[in-house]
Amino acid sequence: MTPGGAAWADAALAAALLAIDPSLGGACLRVRTGPAQAAWLDLYRRLDPERTVLRLPPGIGDERLFGGLDLAATLASGKPVMTEGLLRSGGARAMILPMAERASAGLAARLAVALDAGCGATLTLLDEGADDAEFAPAALTDRLAFLPRLDAVRMADLTEGVCVEDVRRARALLGRVETPPEAYENFVKVAVTLGILSMRAPLLALAAARAAIALAGETRMNEAAAILAARLVLGPRAKCLPETPPEEDMEEPEEPSAPDDRPDTGEETDPPDPNMGRIPEEILLEAARAAIPPDIIARLLGRQAFAAQSARTSGAGDERKSRAKGRPAGSVRGRLTDGGQLDLVETLRAAAPWQPLRRREGTGDRVIVLSDDFRIKRSKQRTEKVLIFAVDASGSTALSRLAETKGAVELMLGQAYVERQQVALIAFRGTGAEVLLPPTRSLVLTKRRLASLPGGGGTPLAAGLNSALELARSARSRGMTPYLALLTDGKANIALDGAPGRTQAETDVLRLARLVSSEGLAATVIDTGNRPTPAARVLADTMGATYLPLPRADARALAGAMTSALAGG
């Protein structure tokens, strides 16, 4: 079976288990819009036809979710009329949230609260992120059992899954499924080994195993169901790669059995097995290990860098609130004299509850709107990003890694050009730093300057940091979002004023590193030494930057790791 076929088989089975037991919460599909996404949604609808399908807009408000003021009815009747809301109306519902990677933290929190409160609905997130720096909110994926990745699935892989009758029979049998107390303990141990800290994951794995047992027409825990749950629920959540257990050279001696003191009744009976229904955690761990994505390290690296950068900046680091243009982001109370655009609907919504009181003053049936009711539209505008490469071209780097560094930066420049990002290039060597290229989109010019970059001389790391900081400030003043990639081995020996001396050079470097941290500049320090150097690690910690040691890596591997580390922008 092809990798895409195996991924689709697991995703189809996840849809069946979710239809059997809605308490599994839902699924987060990591796939762009296409046949695989449409096929999974159609399969889930067929397996659970009793549920009403609701497609939630990414910017849905509280009134639509939980109920609120019915504006038209309120204005017509003269008294507040409330709507019920999607989450508070009766009936089983299947909610679908497209573009989940763009969902705001507020929407994620409200949906998470609804799932925890037992609203009876399932949630399907359509994670259509362009790379692993864009992903659905963790507050929601933590509550959903299944996280299938369908980006490798092709049309030929879309085979039929479980039939509706099998799901109905399993749903009727689910209440009679028995699970031993050790089952949850084993799932917890496997989750801890995989670096999964959430206690919801073992609970979801246990629920998935129960649904799998019911789907097989049985009522007792078995090894196949436990392995399936570990593969579908725990494997995709892994945060680290478990070590392969060493092979045992010798078999352990068998312990002598205790004498049987039971009376001889003449009938041959097997003694009860105390491990009946117990699944060894080694088997579950092996099943989960098989489901761990092969690019787990690069994915986690990109997400950690994104989280670190987001913590140091406002929002995602490259969105700014505006009243002029951009994506809608709600409205706020304001005045028309501020230059904003009036949100008529929200203004009327704010004025509606006060109409009975205002109409008592003899104004007839007119809608009375006061200045306190004015609501001004807000928008979020994504700013342009600039990648600032500060490259160490000193003698120590030139002798070892400058060629690989040039190749890696050139590969990243091509990717930045495709994504329409601006790039800037700074080189430091000898006694100072030089801005070889201010922010630009010219790929040809950038490659030409990079190819002509000479190597040799001292390491004026402080001058390189100072030039990068000034360039970042200039970019911010023009409304851009700067990101710094510092490629160095961290061994500074030239002070900021150009004088030689390792002690003063290190003092200047740490002072500028603290300044970078205080200004919240998102950065990554790529240690280009032949082996990880403590100086580069200390520099990254002082800057509040991501540290990325890459010994013995070629240009392509270096570029891939750098792209993952800087993908958070």
Side-chain angles (χ1 to χ4, degrees), residues 38-370:
W40 194 93
L41 294 176
D42 182 65
L43 174 63
Y44 180 55
R45 290 191 189 101
R46 288 191 288 107
L47 294 178
D48 197 0
E50 299 176 0
R51 289 189 172 270
T52 303
V53 177
L54 297 175
R55 200 173 184 92
L56 306 179
I60 188 171
D62 289 352
E63 293 81 6
R64 292 279 306 280
L65 284 175
F66 301 104
L69 190 69
D70 188 330
L71 180 59
T74 297
L75 293 176
S77 63
K79 60 181 180 179
V81 178
M82 309 301 293
T83 59
E84 191 172 18
L86 297 177
L87 295 180
R88 293 180 178 174
S89 56
R93 297 175 179 270
M95 299 184 296
I96 300 174
L97 181 63
M99 295 186 292
E101 74 282 356
R102 297 187 180 182
S104 65
L107 176 59
R110 290 188 287 271
L111 291 175
V113 168
L115 292 175
D116 291 343
C119 64
T122 62
L123 178 63
T124 299
L125 303 180
L126 303 182
D127 188 345
E128 305 171 18
D131 50 47
D132 285 302
E134 294 181 331
F135 47 89
L140 293 179
T141 56
D142 186 45
R143 291 165 168 80
L144 309 181
F146 307 112
L147 311 175
R149 292 178 66 95
L150 303 181
D151 40 12
V153 176
R154 301 296 179 261
M155 286 289 292
D157 301 323
L158 302 178
T159 57
E160 290 293 331
V162 181
C163 67
V164 179
E165 291 301 323
D166 291 339
V167 171
R168 290 176 179 172
R169 284 193 295 267
R171 192 179 297 165
L173 190 62
L174 183 62
R176 294 190 291 161
V177 172
E178 300 176 1
T179 54
E182 298 86 358
Y184 179 70
E185 180 182 350
N186 288 343
F187 282 128
V188 170
K189 291 179 179 178
V190 173
V192 171
T193 304
L194 295 174
I196 305 172
L197 302 181
S198 172
M199 296 306 295
R200 291 189 180 93
L203 289 172
L204 292 173
L206 185 63
R210 289 171 51 86
I213 294 169
L215 183 60
E218 301 178 9
T219 58
R220 297 192 64 181
M221 173 66 73
N222 56 63
E223 184 174 314
I227 290 175
L228 176 66
R231 189 175 80 243
L232 296 184
V233 179
L234 299 182
R237 287 175 157 80
K239 298 295 188 297
C240 63
L241 292 173
E243 297 181 358
T244 304
E247 297 182 358
E248 297 291 340
D249 296 332
M250 299 179 59
E251 296 183 359
E252 296 182 0
E254 296 183 1
E255 297 182 0
S257 58
D260 192 357
D261 296 333
R262 295 177 301 170
D264 187 5
T265 60
E267 299 180 1
E268 294 184 1
T269 58
D270 294 330
D273 186 359
N275 293 325
M276 180 65 69
R278 183 180 183 275
I279 312 301
E281 60 187 83
E282 294 81 5
I283 297 179
L284 300 182
L285 182 59
E286 190 62 33
R289 183 188 286 113
I292 296 176
D295 58 343
I296 183 68
I297 298 300
R299 288 171 50 198
L300 291 176
L301 181 61
R303 293 192 177 198
Q304 289 168 359
F306 176 76
Q309 291 165 355
S310 299
R312 294 192 302 270
T313 55
S314 61
D318 56 356
E319 282 190 350
R320 297 187 176 182
K321 294 179 180 179
S322 170
R323 292 188 178 182
K325 55 185 178 180
R327 291 191 293 114
S331 58
V332 293
R333 178 181 295 177
R335 298 178 300 174
L336 294 179
T337 56
D338 293 340
Q341 184 178 0
L342 180 67
D343 190 332
L344 181 59
V345 174
E346 292 301 320
T347 298
L348 292 176
R349 193 183 300 277
W354 302 98
Q355 296 309 303
L357 179 62
R358 295 173 182 175
R359 287 174 180 173
R360 290 174 185 170
E361 300 176 357
T363 57
D365 295 333
R366 293 181 301 166
V367 178
I368 304 174
V369 179
L370 303 181

